[in-house]
């Protein structure tokens, strides 16, 4: 099987003493508020390091910086997102911390599926494909197994969360 185009680099540790309490806090409404409000700081850190460092790094959270084209404005929009890796793809879910509306980046990908991710110091063009049906449920469960907040997000809203598989669209550049 060919090597994944996405570097598998995270700093921090799955066994860090702060991982469990930090994830438990993130699953609460106040925790979600804190993380949502730190997203701008995280975005700047990720942009400056091409996805090498994130404020969630000490707890080994897998974060990618996704740049989409705004579906209304046409301007580039960048969002730090947790991802789940499987084979040659990354998966991202539009949980929006369990809020009642879809995050804008999901609408952007529905209109224009070509985007860019910054991960592990590389910028990689990607193509997004919506994930549906049993595959979506399976991947969502994998997200929740990885970071125990997604079950809580699902309980906060009755909207169907959008999910996308990201596949490399062309060779990565440094």
């Amino acid at each position: 099987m060919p090597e994944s185009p996405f570097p598998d680099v995270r700093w921090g540790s799955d066994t860090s003493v702060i991982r469990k309490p930090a994830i438990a806090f993130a699953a609460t409404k106040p925790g979600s508020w804190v993380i949502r409000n730190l997203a701008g700081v995280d975005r700047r850190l990720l942009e400056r390091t091409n996805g090498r460092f994130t404020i969630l790094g000490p707890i080994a959270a897998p974060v990618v910086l996704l740049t989409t084209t705004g579906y209304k404005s046409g301007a580039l929009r960048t969002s730090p997102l947790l991802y789940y890796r499987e084979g040659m793809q990354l998966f991202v879910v539009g949980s929006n911390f369990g809020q009642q509306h879809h995050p804008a980046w999901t609408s952007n990908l529905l209109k224009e599926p070509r985007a860019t991710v910054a991960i592990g110091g590389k910028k990689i063009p990607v193509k997004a494909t919506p994930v549906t049906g049993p595959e979506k449920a399976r991947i969502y469960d994998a997200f929740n197994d990885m970071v125990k907040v997604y079950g809580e997000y699902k309980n906060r809203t009755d909207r169907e969360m959008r999910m996308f598989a990201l596949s490399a669209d062309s060779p990565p550049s440094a």
Side-chain angles (χ1 to χ4, degrees):
M1 177 176 235
E3 185 177 325
S4 173
F6 304 107
D8 189 16
V9 292
R10 285 191 274 165
W11 60 296
S13 167
D14 289 337
T15 60
S16 166
V17 296
I18 65 169
R19 182 174 169 83
K20 274 189 166 180
I23 289 172
F25 177 65
T28 67
K29 285 187 179 185
S32 293
W33 181 88
V34 168
I35 294 170
R36 195 169 50 251
N37 283 284
L38 287 175
V41 173
D42 201 27
R43 180 177 23 259
R44 287 189 290 283
L45 177 59
L46 285 157
E47 285 173 340
R48 288 199 174 115
T49 65
N50 275 336
R52 278 190 298 258
F53 298 106
T54 170
I55 60 173
L56 299 176
I59 62 167
V63 179
V64 67
L65 197 58
L66 176 69
T67 301
T68 61
T69 302
Y71 75 98
K72 289 181 183 176
S73 68
L76 295 179
R77 304 290 183 200
T78 302
S79 303
L81 303 171
L82 289 182
Y83 69 87
Y84 171 71
R85 172 195 306 274
E86 195 170 271
M88 301 292 284
Q89 296 179 313
L90 300 182
F91 294 87
V92 290
V93 62
S95 66
N96 209 13
F97 302 97
Q99 294 182 78
Q100 290 302 318
H101 59 280
H102 294 289
W105 64 264
T106 65
S107 297
N108 295 346
L109 287 180
L110 288 173
K111 181 160 192 246
E112 173 51 68
R114 297 195 190 295
T116 303
V117 295
I119 181 172
K122 296 183 180 285
K123 288 187 178 178
I124 303 166
V126 294
K127 184 172 182 183
T129 306
V131 179
T132 58
E135 181 72 354
K136 181 178 179 181
R138 185 183 70 75
I139 298 294
Y140 197 89
D141 287 345
F143 264 95
N144 195 52
D145 288 345
M146 180 182 65
V147 183
K148 305 271 185 235
V149 297
Y150 286 90
E152 189 59 37
Y153 295 163
K154 199 175 204 178
N155 291 334
R156 289 184 194 165
T157 184
D158 56 1
R159 74 177 164 84
E160 184 68 27
M161 292 184 198
R162 296 171 179 161
M163 180 184 293
F164 296 88
L166 304 177
S167 303
D169 200 28
S170 64
S173 61

